[in-house]
Amino acid sequence: MRRPPRTLTPRWRKLVLVVHVVSSLGWLGITLVNAVLTFTSVFTEDARRQHAAILMMDQIGGYLLVPVSLTALISGVVLSLGTKWGLIRYKWVAIKLVLTLIATGLTLFSLLPGLRELAAAAESTMDGVLVPSGRRVDGFYPIIVSSTMYLTMTVLSVYKPGGKTAYGRRVTA
């Protein structure tokens, strides 16, 4: 005989939801700040300003991206498991999970090492000299990709499209 799924109490659900929304918005906010800093790095003609922008990207990313992204991921998993939505019962939740895992993985294994490498280049470049790798417009790609993913996840959360997964239909039946 199957046990009924455990659900969060309304008080805990609201608390976890607040943590999830705040961490998700924080993740988006960090991305937008890095967009401004990337824009500055790529388009400024002032080497000191470029170095400062690059070093701030590393500081913000190095200290905030990992805890914020992991908080969004973990709180999302807790919410899905503690509510009627389940982790893979509905398509929109499963897609959000996959997108969040991809975004977290890209943050840990691509974005942060790239930021550290760029910061090292800025630190080793003489004062008054622009960092060539800080002038590359491909620095906008992570911002475009992550912002698109966050926007997609927001739309999925609001509209909840797609219905149940095959697993969700079996569990319900």
Side-chain angles (χ1 to χ4, degrees), residues 50-67:
Q50 185 204 38
H51 292 205
I54 291 169
L55 294 173
M56 285 310 301
M57 280 189 281
D58 182 51
Q59 287 293 299
I60 292 168
Y63 290 107
L64 294 176
L65 275 173
V66 171

mmCIF file of all heavy atoms in Angstrom, residues 50-67:
data_model
loop_
_atom_site.group_PDB
_atom_site.id
_atom_site.type_symbol
_atom_site.label_atom_id
_atom_site.label_comp_id
_atom_site.label_asym_id
_atom_site.label_seq_id
_atom_site.Cartn_x
_atom_site.Cartn_y
_atom_site.Cartn_z
ATOM 1 N N GLN A 50 38.165 49.517 -16.483
ATOM 2 C CA GLN A 50 38.025 48.140 -16.964
ATOM 3 C C GLN A 50 38.528 47.154 -15.918
ATOM 4 O O GLN A 50 37.871 46.163 -15.615
ATOM 5 C CB GLN A 50 38.785 47.934 -18.279
ATOM 6 C CG GLN A 50 38.537 46.541 -18.831
ATOM 7 C CD GLN A 50 39.640 46.051 -19.745
ATOM 8 O OE1 GLN A 50 40.818 46.301 -19.497
ATOM 9 N NE2 GLN A 50 39.235 45.344 -20.794
ATOM 10 N N HIS A 51 39.711 47.430 -15.354
ATOM 11 C CA HIS A 51 40.264 46.533 -14.328
ATOM 12 C C HIS A 51 39.321 46.436 -13.136
ATOM 13 O O HIS A 51 39.081 45.336 -12.617
ATOM 14 C CB HIS A 51 41.633 47.033 -13.872
ATOM 15 C CG HIS A 51 42.694 46.944 -14.920
ATOM 16 N ND1 HIS A 51 44.032 46.856 -14.621
ATOM 17 C CD2 HIS A 51 42.631 46.926 -16.278
ATOM 18 C CE1 HIS A 51 44.743 46.797 -15.734
ATOM 19 N NE2 HIS A 51 43.917 46.841 -16.745
ATOM 20 N N ALA A 52 38.781 47.573 -12.712
ATOM 21 C CA ALA A 52 37.850 47.578 -11.582
ATOM 22 C C ALA A 52 36.597 46.756 -11.897
ATOM 23 O O ALA A 52 36.125 45.972 -11.053
ATOM 24 C CB ALA A 52 37.473 49.012 -11.213
ATOM 25 N N ALA A 53 36.067 46.914 -13.109
ATOM 26 C CA ALA A 53 34.862 46.160 -13.495
ATOM 27 C C ALA A 53 35.142 44.656 -13.478
ATOM 28 O O ALA A 53 34.331 43.868 -12.968
ATOM 29 C CB ALA A 53 34.381 46.604 -14.876
ATOM 30 N N ILE A 54 36.276 44.263 -14.028
ATOM 31 C CA ILE A 54 36.631 42.843 -14.068
ATOM 32 C C ILE A 54 36.798 42.288 -12.660
ATOM 33 O O ILE A 54 36.293 41.208 -12.335
ATOM 34 C CB ILE A 54 37.915 42.637 -14.905
ATOM 35 C CG1 ILE A 54 37.633 42.911 -16.385
ATOM 36 C CG2 ILE A 54 38.478 41.238 -14.705
ATOM 37 C CD1 ILE A 54 38.884 42.989 -17.249
ATOM 38 N N LEU A 55 37.503 43.026 -11.819
ATOM 39 C CA LEU A 55 37.730 42.550 -10.443
ATOM 40 C C LEU A 55 36.428 42.493 -9.647
ATOM 41 O O LEU A 55 36.239 41.590 -8.824
ATOM 42 C CB LEU A 55 38.773 43.423 -9.751
ATOM 43 C CG LEU A 55 40.183 43.329 -10.363
ATOM 44 C CD1 LEU A 55 41.115 44.342 -9.727
ATOM 45 C CD2 LEU A 55 40.739 41.911 -10.259
ATOM 46 N N MET A 56 35.500 43.407 -9.908
ATOM 47 C CA MET A 56 34.200 43.354 -9.228
ATOM 48 C C MET A 56 33.373 42.154 -9.696
ATOM 49 O O MET A 56 32.684 41.528 -8.896
ATOM 50 C CB MET A 56 33.417 44.654 -9.434
ATOM 51 C CG MET A 56 33.930 45.808 -8.596
ATOM 52 S SD MET A 56 34.129 45.420 -6.837
ATOM 53 C CE MET A 56 32.489 44.935 -6.382
ATOM 54 N N MET A 57 33.453 41.839 -10.998
ATOM 55 C CA MET A 57 32.753 40.636 -11.486
ATOM 56 C C MET A 57 33.254 39.410 -10.742
ATOM 57 O O MET A 57 32.469 38.539 -10.351
ATOM 58 C CB MET A 57 32.974 40.448 -12.989
ATOM 59 C CG MET A 57 32.114 41.305 -13.853
ATOM 60 S SD MET A 57 32.235 40.840 -15.584
ATOM 61 C CE MET A 57 33.762 41.614 -16.055
ATOM 62 N N ASP A 58 34.564 39.331 -10.555
ATOM 63 C CA ASP A 58 35.145 38.188 -9.846
ATOM 64 C C ASP A 58 34.712 38.183 -8.380
ATOM 65 O O ASP A 58 34.383 37.126 -7.835
ATOM 66 C CB ASP A 58 36.667 38.221 -9.959
ATOM 67 C CG ASP A 58 37.317 37.027 -9.287
ATOM 68 O OD1 ASP A 58 36.902 35.878 -9.574
ATOM 69 O OD2 ASP A 58 38.230 37.234 -8.473
ATOM 70 N N GLN A 59 34.700 39.337 -7.742
ATOM 71 C CA GLN A 59 34.280 39.414 -6.343
ATOM 72 C C GLN A 59 32.822 39.003 -6.170
ATOM 73 O O GLN A 59 32.495 38.185 -5.319
ATOM 74 C CB GLN A 59 34.483 40.844 -5.802
ATOM 75 C CG GLN A 59 35.906 41.211 -5.558
ATOM 76 C CD GLN A 59 36.505 40.411 -4.422
ATOM 77 O OE1 GLN A 59 36.039 40.489 -3.293
ATOM 78 N NE2 GLN A 59 37.519 39.624 -4.710
ATOM 79 N N ILE A 60 31.966 39.574 -6.994
ATOM 80 C CA ILE A 60 30.531 39.271 -6.894
ATOM 81 C C ILE A 60 30.285 37.801 -7.218
ATOM 82 O O ILE A 60 29.607 37.091 -6.481
ATOM 83 C CB ILE A 60 29.722 40.197 -7.823
ATOM 84 C CG1 ILE A 60 29.787 41.625 -7.293
ATOM 85 C CG2 ILE A 60 28.277 39.726 -7.943
ATOM 86 C CD1 ILE A 60 29.286 42.662 -8.270
ATOM 87 N N GLY A 61 30.847 37.347 -8.332
ATOM 88 C CA GLY A 61 30.662 35.952 -8.726
ATOM 89 C C GLY A 61 31.291 34.988 -7.743
ATOM 90 O O GLY A 61 30.682 33.989 -7.360
ATOM 91 N N GLY A 62 32.506 35.316 -7.324
ATOM 92 C CA GLY A 62 33.238 34.407 -6.447
ATOM 93 C C GLY A 62 32.585 34.200 -5.091
ATOM 94 O O GLY A 62 32.659 33.121 -4.516
ATOM 95 N N TYR A 63 31.948 35.233 -4.578
ATOM 96 C CA TYR A 63 31.361 35.125 -3.246
ATOM 97 C C TYR A 63 29.866 34.842 -3.234
ATOM 98 O O TYR A 63 29.348 34.280 -2.276
ATOM 99 C CB TYR A 63 31.631 36.402 -2.434
ATOM 100 C CG TYR A 63 33.076 36.541 -2.045
ATOM 101 C CD1 TYR A 63 33.883 37.478 -2.668
ATOM 102 C CD2 TYR A 63 33.633 35.724 -1.078
ATOM 103 C CE1 TYR A 63 35.220 37.600 -2.323
ATOM 104 C CE2 TYR A 63 34.966 35.832 -0.724
ATOM 105 C CZ TYR A 63 35.758 36.774 -1.353
ATOM 106 O OH TYR A 63 37.076 36.883 -1.021
ATOM 107 N N LEU A 64 29.160 35.245 -4.276
ATOM 108 C CA LEU A 64 27.700 35.154 -4.223
ATOM 109 C C LEU A 64 27.082 34.094 -5.122
ATOM 110 O O LEU A 64 26.050 33.532 -4.774
ATOM 111 C CB LEU A 64 27.086 36.515 -4.570
ATOM 112 C CG LEU A 64 27.339 37.638 -3.582
ATOM 113 C CD1 LEU A 64 26.758 38.943 -4.096
ATOM 114 C CD2 LEU A 64 26.776 37.298 -2.222
ATOM 115 N N LEU A 65 27.667 33.846 -6.289
ATOM 116 C CA LEU A 65 27.001 32.967 -7.250
ATOM 117 C C LEU A 65 26.780 31.552 -6.738
ATOM 118 O O LEU A 65 25.697 30.990 -6.915
ATOM 119 C CB LEU A 65 27.763 32.937 -8.572
ATOM 120 C CG LEU A 65 27.414 34.054 -9.536
ATOM 121 C CD1 LEU A 65 28.348 34.030 -10.740
ATOM 122 C CD2 LEU A 65 25.979 33.982 -9.979
ATOM 123 N N VAL A 66 27.772 30.965 -6.108
ATOM 124 C CA VAL A 66 27.620 29.576 -5.656
ATOM 125 C C VAL A 66 26.546 29.452 -4.572
ATOM 126 O O VAL A 66 25.611 28.657 -4.728
ATOM 127 C CB VAL A 66 28.964 28.977 -5.196
ATOM 128 C CG1 VAL A 66 28.772 27.619 -4.532
ATOM 129 C CG2 VAL A 66 29.913 28.849 -6.388
ATOM 130 N N PRO A 67 26.618 30.222 -3.479
ATOM 131 C CA PRO A 67 25.564 30.046 -2.470
ATOM 132 C C PRO A 67 24.170 30.412 -2.966
ATOM 133 O O PRO A 67 23.194 29.734 -2.623
ATOM 134 C CB PRO A 67 25.991 30.963 -1.316
ATOM 135 C CG PRO A 67 27.084 31.818 -1.832
ATOM 136 C CD PRO A 67 27.649 31.165 -3.039
#
